[in-house]
Every structure is written in structure tokens, then in C-alpha cells.
Amino acid sequence: MFLAIINEAYYHVKLDIAACPKHKRMPWYLKEAFRELFSMAPSEEDDGESPYQAAISEIRDTLNRLGFDDVETELFFSRYNIDPAAQLPSYDPYKLLKEFEAKLRDGKADTRAVESITLEDVIAQQEKMFDLEKVIGLLTTKVDFLLKKLDTLENVRKK
């Protein structure tokens, strides 16, 4: 009876996976997760606090738990040249990229900042990304193969 319940649930999951749109499948999700990870784009779950301020708060909380009072905490920050009141600006990488592309089209770009980046570097990074996508694709096919194999093993056990 237990196996019948599990098999029925597995069958419904397989149907849901087959019927779901492409953007909800694992390869698409992994590709988007890697792109978000490597693009350093801000996540949608940010609570408005910058990573710098979050680190300062965490350091302050840890020092307070260890028995440091406010004066000792400020001495710690001054000793390691940490400014707790500093506000680091946040940048949208896509906006910066669009601005730079517009400057390149207009011929007003200062290309000294990107002189060290060559076309070969860009091509090499692009090839690495394609290789990564291929590996992810292979992993998903192997996982799918394992799921099919498990399904056949369940069918053999039933008989």
C-alpha cells in the first residue's frame, strides 16, 4: 500500500514536470541562478540594507555578545579603520553596461579603463559559459536518466 501511494505521488510529479512551462524547469533555473550569481546583480530579496551595513551590524552584535561595551566596540572599529557610518553606493551593473555601450556608440567612451580586456578574453569567458551550460545540460539528462531508471525499478518491484 505504501509503495502504491509513493508511486501515485511520483506519477503526479512526473506529469507536473512534463506539463510545466520551460522557465520552471531545472536547466532554466540553474542557468538563471548562475547568471545571477556571476553578474553580481542585486537579489530581489534584499531588505534595503547594503552588505557593508549588514557586516557592520553583525560585527557589532558579535562584539556585544562577547561582552564589549560601546566604547570598546568603537575602539575596535577605529583600530581596524572601519567607518560604521560609511554608505557605499550600490550600482546596477545592467545600467552601467547600457551607459557604457551608449558612450561607445557615440564615440565618447574613455577606453583606458578596458584596455586590458581583449577580445580573446571575452571569447574565452563566453566559451567557459557555454561549457558550463553544456555541463548543466548533461547533469540534467543524467538526473532524468536516473529518475527513469528508478521508475523502471519500481515497476519491476510491483510485478
Side-chain angles (χ1 to χ4, degrees):
M1 182 68 174
F2 178 71
L3 286 176
I5 294 170
I6 291 178
N7 189 33
E8 184 178 342
Y10 180 71
Y11 175 74
H12 287 293
V13 169
K14 295 261 307 172
L15 283 179
D16 290 343
I17 290 172
C20 77
K22 181 180 179 182
H23 71 274
K24 292 199 177 196
R25 293 189 183 164
M26 186 59 79
W28 181 87
Y29 175 76
L30 288 174
K31 186 179 2 172
E32 291 302 312
F34 276 112
R35 283 194 180 146
E36 182 178 329
L37 176 72
F38 291 123
S39 70
M40 299 296 286
S43 67
E44 297 171 1
E45 298 177 7
D46 284 345
D47 57 357
E49 187 176 48
S50 71
Y52 180 76
Q53 291 299 325
I56 293 293
S57 299
E58 190 174 331
I59 291 170
R60 189 179 302 274
D61 293 341
T62 303
L63 290 174
N64 286 339
R65 274 184 292 172
L66 293 173
F68 284 64
D69 61 358
D70 290 338
V71 174
E72 291 172 326
T73 303
E74 294 304 320
L75 284 173
F76 176 85
F77 286 144
S78 65
R79 178 177 181 186
Y80 293 106
N81 199 17
I82 299 171
D83 184 10
Q87 292 293 327
L88 299 179
S90 62
Y91 297 104
D92 182 14
Y94 299 110
K95 182 181 176 185
L96 291 174
L97 184 62
K98 286 178 184 178
E99 289 175 3
F100 186 70
E101 287 174 349
K103 286 180 182 179
L104 279 178
R105 274 186 261 121
D106 296 341
K108 299 177 185 175
D110 182 15
T111 56
R112 290 177 294 177
V114 292
E115 286 177 353
S116 62
I117 299 174
T118 63
L119 181 61
E120 290 81 22
D121 294 335
V122 173
I123 291 171
Q125 288 297 321
Q126 193 172 21
E127 288 173 356
K128 288 180 183 178
M129 184 59 102
F130 287 142
D131 291 342
L132 186 62
E133 288 178 355
K134 286 179 187 176
V135 168
I136 291 171
L138 288 172
L139 286 173
T140 55
T141 56
K142 288 180 181 181
V143 167
D144 190 39
F145 175 73
L146 286 174
L147 289 174
K148 287 179 183 177
K149 200 168 212 176
L150 283 173
D151 193 29
T152 56
L153 285 174
E154 280 187 19
N155 290 338
V156 169
R157 284 187 183 172
K158 281 185 178 180
K159 294 178 183 181

